Amino acid sequence: MAETKLAEKRCWKALKEVMDPEFPVSVVDMGLIYGIEEQDGVVTVTMTYTAVSCACMEWIEGDIRKRLLQEAGVEEVEINVVWDPPWTAERLSPEAREKMKTWGVSAR
């Protein structure tokens, strides 16, 4: 159990390196990642997008897979995209809000 939690924590940290293609903000700070579970080398990422029509879905999912597969013990990555609860700007981290503010982007 402790190993699983450690692996999940490492995966969260790794995904802070995966940037949203539209803004240089991580998918974690964008609030796109709802959860990460690891079991026997299989990491399941539950996530959403800012819009159903996001043109970057495959690109983001590919970047997530690529980054997580670099972590020791990760053999497979499954991505579960959900639309409920829907993404809102409330999911942005304080760090993401500050970055967007400096670029003149409203984060309401």
Side-chain angles (χ1 to χ4, degrees), residues 37 39-44 65 68-69 73-78:
E37 295 178 8
Q39 186 169 359
D40 300 323
V42 178
V43 174
T44 302
R65 278 191 181 89
L68 290 178
L69 287 169
V74 176
E75 298 171 17
E76 184 179 340
V77 176
E78 296 178 356

Side-chain angles (χ1 to χ4, degrees), residues 98-107:
E98 282 303 309
K99 284 183 180 178
M100 290 190 167
K101 191 171 158 182
T102 63
W103 300 319
V105 176
S106 174

Side-chain angles (χ1 to χ4, degrees), residues 5-85:
K5 292 298 177 194
L6 184 58
E8 291 170 6
K9 188 174 182 177
R10 280 193 346 258
C11 290
W12 278 100
K13 185 176 179 182
L15 290 186
K16 292 271 286 182
E17 298 173 15
V18 176
M19 296 295 131
D20 180 277
E22 295 179 311
F23 298 102
V25 175
S26 78
V27 293
V28 171
D29 289 319
M30 282 293 291
L32 301 180
I33 308 301
Y34 285 0
I36 299 173
E37 295 178 8
E38 186 279 337
Q39 186 169 359
D40 300 323
V42 178
V43 174
T44 302
V45 177
T46 300
M47 66 174 294
T48 196
Y49 290 96
T50 58
V52 177
S53 60
C54 176
C56 300
M57 290 180 186
E58 288 182 32
W59 184 5
I60 292 170
E61 290 178 28
D63 287 351
I64 287 171
R65 278 191 181 89
K66 182 179 177 181
R67 179 59 189 91
L68 290 178
L69 287 169
Q70 293 174 12
E71 290 297 305
V74 176
E75 298 171 17
E76 184 179 340
V77 176
E78 296 178 356
I79 297 178
N80 180 28
V81 176
V82 297
W83 300 105
D84 188 29

